[in-house]
Amino acid sequence: MTVVKTKIGRRSFIKKSTLAGGGLVLSFNWLESCKMTSEEVSTLPKEWFKLNGYVKVGDNGLVTIMSPNPEGGQGVKTAMPMIVADELDIEWKEVIVEQAPLNTELYRRQFIGGSQAIRQGWNGLRMAGATARHMLKEAAAKTWDVSIKEITTKTGMLHHVSSNRSASYGEMASVAAMVPVPEEVALKEIGDFNIIGTSQKNVDGQNIVTGKPLFGLDTYKDGMLTAMIVHPPAFGMQLKSMDSTAIKSMPGIQDVFSIKVLDDDFTRQHFDTCAFLEVVAIVGKSTWEVMKAKKAISVQWEPIESYSEERQPYRGPRQTLTIPAGLESSEVHRKKMSEMTTRQSEVVRKDGNPELAFKNAANVIERTYTAPFLAHNCMEPMNFFADVKDGSAQLSGPLQKAELTELTLANRLGIPVEQIDIHMTRLGGGYGRRSYANWALEAALISKKMKAPVKLVYTREDDMTGGIYRPTYQVTYKAALDSKNNLTAIHINAGGIPESPLYADRFPAGAVENYLAESWTLNTNITIGSFRAPRSNFMASAEQSFLDEIAETIDKDPIEFRLELLEKAKNNPVGEKNDYDAERYAGVLNLVKEKSDWKSSDASLHRGVAAYFCHNSYAAQVLDVTMVNGKPVVQKVTCALDCGIVVNPDGAKNMAEGGIVDGIGNALFGELTFKNGVPEKSNFDTYRMIRMSEAPKEIDVHFVKNDIDPTGLGEPTFPPIFAALANALYKATGKRYYRQPFLSEESVNA
Amino acid sequence: MAKFNLKINGNIQEVDVDPNTPMLWVLRDHFQLVGTKYGCGIAQCGACTVHLGDNAVRSCQLPVSAVGDKAITTIEGLSENGDHPVQKAWLEVDVPQCGYCQAGQIMTASALLKKNPSPSDAEIESAMDGNICRCGTYTRIKKAVKLAAVETENS
């Protein structure tokens, strides 16, 4: 048993809700059409008692657990309450899960991002359950007039053994609600978990398979209008003028006007990226009517001048960014990036004497890898609901960073944060895109102008051409080998438009005596943002493909070669600051080696391996390709993952499988190119997405078993699979893949 | 504008709209049947799949005027209590991640199984290839379709 403090300084992890009605009851019912069955209604308690912001106990013993973070497919709405329930000591089937409202007083970090929900929520969620359990025990102790030390719990029951008294949580709930939150509380031993570590099904499964309105796009309110925007057709363009007279008289159209999304002097937060500062809004009664008007509108655009914007990044001091004028093309991007290959860039890390090692090398291998801009392509297009009134606003929609979006809305609308009520709907995918909520601002500004509730809907085309892309990257790796084929130096020169992908302190840093990492960036007016495992999603691919090529050159097994490097990093690390734990890194490689039967003698299998550390977790993958009718087919992926304690194993496997399929899809097909500022793809007819027939026929996920607190899961399986695929394709086709998407290279015709 | 009497999930319902309005928007905007999803608007992603008679169709490309007296079934009407074998298999395999595409996947899969109660892997892939799952749950979708096929056969 571990006793922990429920407060750190003045900040309490566990608070009772102080708002009237607990702040948990929304002023209007968003999901009114989500009717409960009569069976569900008959089992509901007559009264709920709130023990803290996470736990409500009903008089009949049912427990409601609030899931603090928004759900976008990561499974947190199931996994986070499981952690609370385990410490509360209640049967999982007695738990009802509710999406918590945005409330920065009650909850911390209500974000989707960085694979951090479980990792950073872990202690707080355990404490929430343990605190509620403690309060129930105290209620029983008071009621029975015995010491709390003599009270035990077992799955929703309180016991006092010596007097043979028992009561359910429900019976003690009303007394427990009056007990003050304890200042310290005992947590379970890891070995005593009985919900954490068991597979529980998605709590929203039934609602999803029956088509219930869960998503932002499903929001409906009486009197609601539908809005769409028209944004410039190219990056580097802005609104000049429009002629809306003809479309204003079209059926159902209520108004057409332009809105300034951000004022010129608006100080942006990290996630306030916005490519098109002024857009045209078309508001009407129904979606189809607005879509028709959108097609008919005549708008004139003009090139932008270069401008600068004030920005307060997520970390570090305020910056002034210069946004260049001009209509950019991918061809020019590629040429400019290629010129950077030989240029000296900013040195981010240097160990030993790499110049000398390269001078004395018997053999030097140099390879350059590139990857294009990518669009997130969430299946639910960007959308948001807003009902802005004088001095207050009710909003609803899919957000990854609702608490930051709220601040931006408050600043832009001039409404105090306390008067802004945001309902976080389920996200039809996020992958980083919904951290950047320019569409929430647009919806709010349109509602303000219309003085009516408005649902803003992006068409797929608006979504795909609206910016916030994964940047385009390039890296050149150079390896020095001595006459005995020892790896003596690594040189990395990495950059991108407009962001560098370099993580200088990651493997193989620490494992190579002489190491040099350089970084560069080129600016652009094309907007970028986080995309599942930012930067890692490119670096893993290049690094792990390069290591494969070195291993081949020196005639070593690719897994053994990596293990040797990790052994060195573990026993005799180079440099002061290496991000990773070499032993855990080697652990996933050893596990994947065993589970994939790496030494298999099946000659029809072309196998590639890769491993990567990111988001505090370790993933290793073996990907098997066979040639079918002359084309490579991905048969199986074996994945080993070390993400500490796994809360919901089958849910975690689902997430790992998703990262693998997503990675294979983006590696093969993902690409957004530009010509004169115009994105060259705008829908799924040209932007190729992976489909069922192209996904691996089998995915086999294994977790390293340990007692380490949970680490990231949503992202870590995504980056290495690019390289596992490239390395397997090489075995199948004899061709190395340096340029993503791999299918853009002529020799592949899958 | 024109009036149409549509048979949706077993009920005749009237709507007065532009005859070109895709069924997707009739369902979502006029009947609040929002289980049918908008994904691309050009029949490339399958999120809007409904049944027209026994056929899986993309409702974003189906004008209301083309429906006639054919029955439309949406995810809300696939079963009374959410217990269609395909829905049950989806829950058993715990398929969804974000869940946005899943109604369309289920409608495509249920139409496939009606025509072909025990499809091969290749037949499943061929039928399901029009439905994009951005979260990448394809291996689970395939497993659930096979499970539903077995359950249907045994029932």
Side-chain angles (χ1 to χ4, degrees):
Chain A
M1 193 174 285
T2 319
V3 177
V4 294
K5 302 260 184 248
T6 58
K7 280 184 186 173
I8 290 181
R10 286 169 52 214
R11 174 102 205 189
S12 174
F13 283 103
I14 305 302
K15 278 195 186 172
K16 284 202 190 187
S17 173
T18 49
L19 301 170
L24 305 177
V25 182
L26 284 166
S27 39
F28 60 97
N29 192 351
W30 294 96
L31 302 176
E32 210 170 358
S33 44
C34 255
K35 292 272 188 286
M36 293 184 124
T37 65
S38 56
E39 195 188 348
E40 281 167 338
V41 172
S42 70
T43 56
L44 282 180
K46 291 187 186 68
E47 210 169 344
W48 288 105
F49 299 95
K50 283 174 197 130
L51 302 191
N52 57 47
Y54 296 84
V55 178
K56 285 190 287 185
V57 179
D59 54 15
N60 66 350
L62 269 188
V63 171
T64 294
I65 299 179
M66 308 303 288
S67 184
N69 288 31
E71 173 66 65
Q74 338 85 297
V76 290
K77 197 174 169 186
T78 308
M80 293 181 107
M82 282 173 69
I83 300 167
V84 179
D86 205 323
E87 289 286 356
L88 178 60
D89 198 7
I90 178 97
E91 287 211 53
W92 181 244
K93 66 176 169 55
E94 300 293 327
V95 172
I96 296 170
V97 174
E98 263 180 46
Q99 176 66 59
L102 176 65
N103 186 330
T104 51
E105 280 293 302
L106 283 177
Y107 310 106
R108 305 169 75 222
R109 201 185 179 280
Q110 291 181 281
F111 285 1
I112 299 180
S115 296
Q116 295 298 304
I118 299 291
R119 176 171 177 258
Q120 297 206 27
W122 179 245
N123 287 325
L125 293 163
R126 291 183 68 188
M127 243 186 269
T131 310
R133 175 171 166 267
H134 183 96
M135 289 159 76
L136 287 158
K137 282 168 73 175
E138 202 164 317
K142 270 188 189 164
T143 307
W144 296 332
D145 196 21
V146 297
S147 163
I148 187 171
K149 288 182 185 147
E150 294 166 22
I151 305 285
T152 55
T153 63
K154 191 157 196 247
T155 52
M157 292 296 292
L158 294 143
H159 301 290
H160 184 248
V161 177
S162 59
S163 66
N164 199 24
R165 276 178 288 194
S166 293
S168 71
Y169 283 5
E171 289 170 84
M172 288 295 166
S174 64
V175 181
M178 310 305 286
V179 169
V181 175
E183 294 209 350
E184 49 180 42
V185 71
L187 301 180
K188 279 186 173 179
E189 289 300 325
I190 305 282
D192 294 335
F193 288 146
N194 51 21
I195 297 175
I196 294 166
T198 65
S199 288
Q200 302 298 338
K201 301 222 187 290
N202 187 333
V203 293
D204 275 331
Q206 187 73 30
N207 288 332
I208 291 168
V209 304
T210 52
K212 294 288 188 296
L214 303 171
F215 300 92
L217 207 69
D218 304 339
T219 305
Y220 176 79
K221 195 185 174 188
D222 282 338
M224 181 182 86
L225 298 169
T226 297
M228 289 195 164
I229 55 128
V230 182
H231 68 62
F235 291 86
M237 299 286 270
Q238 64 186 3
L239 179 67
K240 185 182 179 193
S241 63
M242 65 165 161
D243 180 3
S244 60
T245 39
I247 70 157
K248 272 187 176 165
S249 59
M250 286 176 75
I253 298 306
Q254 304 293 296
D255 207 349
V256 182
F257 48 89
S258 71
I259 51 169
K260 201 78 191 273
V261 186
L262 292 175
D263 294 321
D264 291 335
D265 59 352
F266 192 89
T267 298
R268 289 159 171 77
Q269 299 178 73
H270 181 85
F271 294 103
D272 290 340
T273 308
C274 182
F276 305 121
L277 297 176
E278 191 174 15
V279 296
V280 175
I282 304 172
V283 188
K285 284 187 176 160
S286 73
T287 316
W288 182 244
E289 287 167 329
V290 177
M291 276 183 165
K292 281 176 70 175
K294 186 167 147 60
K295 278 189 186 142
I297 194 171
S298 161
V299 187
Q300 283 74 48
W301 313 97
E302 62 185 7
I304 61 165
E305 304 277 332
S306 169
Y307 66 96
S308 61
E309 57 180 43
E310 289 286 310
R311 199 173 249 274
Q312 180 58 57
Y314 202 47
R315 295 184 189 91
R318 184 182 284 217
Q319 303 169 340
T320 304
L321 292 188
T322 301
I323 312 298
L327 302 176
E328 301 177 25
S329 296
S330 297
E331 215 181 302
V332 178
H333 286 162
R334 276 195 285 271
K335 193 162 162 280
K336 281 184 175 172
M337 293 208 297
S338 158
E339 286 164 7
M340 297 308 288
T341 314
T342 50
R343 272 193 214 163
Q344 210 160 22
S345 311
E346 182 202 350
V347 174
V348 183
R349 172 167 170 162
K350 187 175 174 179
D351 297 325
N353 191 340
E355 293 85 356
L356 187 67
F358 277 102
K359 199 177 149 204
N360 294 338
N363 188 9
V364 172
I365 308 172
E366 179 179 333
R367 299 288 183 266
T368 295
Y369 302 81
T370 63
F373 284 97
L374 295 175
H376 295 79
N377 295 340
C378 305
M379 288 313 292
E380 179 193 16
M382 299 302 116
N383 67 86
F384 213 69
F385 170 88
D387 190 3
V388 177
K389 302 201 165 72
D390 280 344
S392 74
Q394 284 187 318
L395 305 114
S396 173
L399 292 169
Q400 287 187 230
K401 306 272 187 301
E403 125 185 17
L404 299 178
T405 304
E406 190 176 53
L407 291 175
T408 298
L409 282 161
N411 286 342
R412 180 65 185 89
L413 298 172
I415 293 174
V417 171
E418 304 75 51
Q419 298 305 317
I420 294 182
D421 175 17
I422 297 187
H423 173 65
M424 300 184 294
T425 60
R426 192 179 186 86
L427 289 75
Y431 324 103
R433 178 63 186 89
R434 291 192 218 269
S435 294
Y436 307 83
N438 54 300
W439 22 269
L441 279 177
E442 290 160 7
L445 293 165
I446 296 168
S447 169
K448 189 179 174 184
K449 173 95 183 351
M450 296 304 294
K451 298 186 172 32
V454 167
K455 180 166 69 178
L456 170 70
V457 180
Y458 273 25
T459 62
R460 173 57 58 195
E461 290 80 3
D462 295 333
D463 185 303
M464 204 179 281
T465 60
I468 320 289
Y469 304 117
R470 199 285 299 267
T472 179
Y473 295 126
Q474 176 181 289
V475 61
T476 301
Y477 274 89
K478 234 160 87 175
L481 299 168
D482 68 14
S483 56
K484 289 176 185 150
N485 268 343
N486 295 306
L487 174 64
T488 55
I490 288 271
H491 176 195
I492 306 171
N493 181 25
I497 305 176
E499 171 196 81
S500 168
L502 181 68
Y503 282 102
D505 298 326
R506 286 198 182 157
F507 185 76
V512 187
E513 213 56 55
N514 304 292
Y515 175 88
L516 178 64
E518 294 178 275
S519 184
W520 52 266
T521 58
L522 297 170
N523 69 5
T524 179
N525 54 34
I526 297 167
T527 53
I528 59 132
S530 302
F531 187 110
R532 195 176 204 164
R535 297 145 69 201
S536 305
N537 60 35
F538 172 66
M539 287 309 280
S541 164
E543 168 200 303
Q544 292 289 309
S545 298
F546 189 62
L547 290 182
D548 206 70
E549 212 165 333
I550 301 176
E552 187 192 26
T553 308
I554 61 179
D555 202 21
K556 274 192 180 159
D557 174 87
I559 292 183
E560 297 310 319
F561 174 58
R562 286 168 173 82
L563 288 173
E564 279 171 26
L565 288 173
L566 287 163
E567 191 66 16
K568 177 165 172 47
K570 184 185 146 195
N571 298 330
N572 195 11
V574 180
E576 298 293 306
K577 191 170 158 257
N578 296 313
D579 280 352
Y580 58 96
D581 177 330
E583 203 166 343
R584 292 179 77 186
Y585 217 132
V588 289
L589 274 163
N590 281 315
L591 185 61
V592 85
K593 186 174 142 188
E594 175 203 329
K595 297 295 181 185
S596 67
D597 187 17
W598 178 245
K599 299 288 179 193
S600 160
S601 54
D602 184 347
S604 71
L605 288 185
H606 307 287
R607 322 191 80 182
V609 65
Y612 203 65
F613 161 77
C614 62
H615 303 275
N616 318 93
S617 293
Y618 303 80
Q621 292 150 346
V622 168
L623 183 146
D624 298 338
V625 160
T626 60
M627 296 302 282
V628 179
N629 301 326
K631 282 183 181 178
V633 173
V634 181
Q635 295 295 348
K636 183 177 176 181
V637 173
T638 309
C639 177
L641 199 53
D642 181 350
C643 56
I645 294 166
V646 180
V647 177
N648 186 12
D650 192 53
K653 280 186 181 177
N654 197 348
M655 182 81 324
E657 291 159 12
I660 287 164
V661 173
D662 187 8
I664 293 171
N666 276 296
L668 290 174
F669 316 122
E671 181 179 42
L672 190 64
T673 53
F674 298 84
K675 194 161 189 188
N676 297 324
V678 179
E680 291 188 288
K681 296 170 187 173
S682 63
N683 207 324
F684 298 131
D685 51 346
T686 46
Y687 200 117
R688 189 165 168 191
M689 307 290 285
I690 189 166
R691 291 172 187 270
M692 184 187 276
S693 62
E694 295 143 349
K697 307 298 171 201
E698 186 187 352
I699 302 175
D700 188 19
V701 180
H702 299 271
F703 296 100
V704 173
K705 289 189 178 57
N706 59 37
D707 287 347
I708 300 167
D709 284 356
T711 53
L713 180 62
E715 288 158 288
T717 65
F718 183 67
I721 198 70
F722 287 68
L725 175 66
N727 296 339
L729 285 175
Y730 167 68
K731 291 286 176 62
T733 66
K735 183 178 171 5
R736 292 278 179 190
Y737 293 84
Y738 302 107
R739 182 174 154 191
Q740 290 173 31
F742 300 153
L743 285 197
S744 70
E745 301 203 10
E746 299 151 37
S747 61
V748 183
N749 53 3
Chain B
M1 306 289 264
K3 284 186 179 167
F4 299 93
N5 284 303
L6 302 166
K7 192 176 174 193
I8 301 171
N9 297 334
N11 304 314
I12 305 285
Q13 310 203 50
E14 191 188 77
V15 68
D16 186 6
V17 289
D18 166 13
N20 292 324
T21 310
M23 268 312 293
L24 168 65
W25 299 113
V26 173
L27 293 168
R28 291 186 58 88
D29 282 358
H30 299 274
F31 297 121
Q32 268 82 57
L33 289 168
V34 295
T36 305
K37 299 303 189 206
Y38 167 59
C40 68
I42 57 166
Q44 291 292 314
C45 79
C48 67
T49 306
V50 299
H51 295 173
L52 181 65
D54 285 340
N55 295 318
V57 297
R58 311 300 185 216
S59 65
C60 72
Q61 293 299 304
L62 176 66
V64 61
S65 56
V67 174
D69 55 5
K70 288 205 187 82
I72 295 236
T73 308
T74 71
I75 187 73
E76 292 91 344
L78 183 64
S79 63
E80 203 165 319
N81 300 309
D83 55 0
H84 186 282
V86 173
Q87 288 168 313
K88 280 163 70 179
W90 243 248
L91 292 175
E92 180 54 33
V93 179
D94 212 14
V95 173
Q97 286 188 29
C98 88
Y100 191 80
C101 74
Q102 299 295 350
Q105 305 275 3
I106 289 169
M107 296 311 282
T108 303
S110 52
L112 164 70
L113 292 181
K114 193 151 195 180
K115 290 207 171 79
N116 181 356
S118 51
S120 67
D121 279 27
E123 285 168 336
I124 294 173
E125 285 177 11
S126 161
M128 302 301 299
D129 246 19
N131 288 72
I132 297 173
C133 173
R134 172 69 181 82
C135 298
T137 65
Y138 295 123
T139 50
R140 285 182 187 239
I141 292 173
K142 196 193 278 180
K143 196 170 163 192
V145 175
K146 288 186 191 175
L147 178 64
V150 172
E151 292 296 314
T152 312
E153 215 156 81
N154 294 345
S155 66

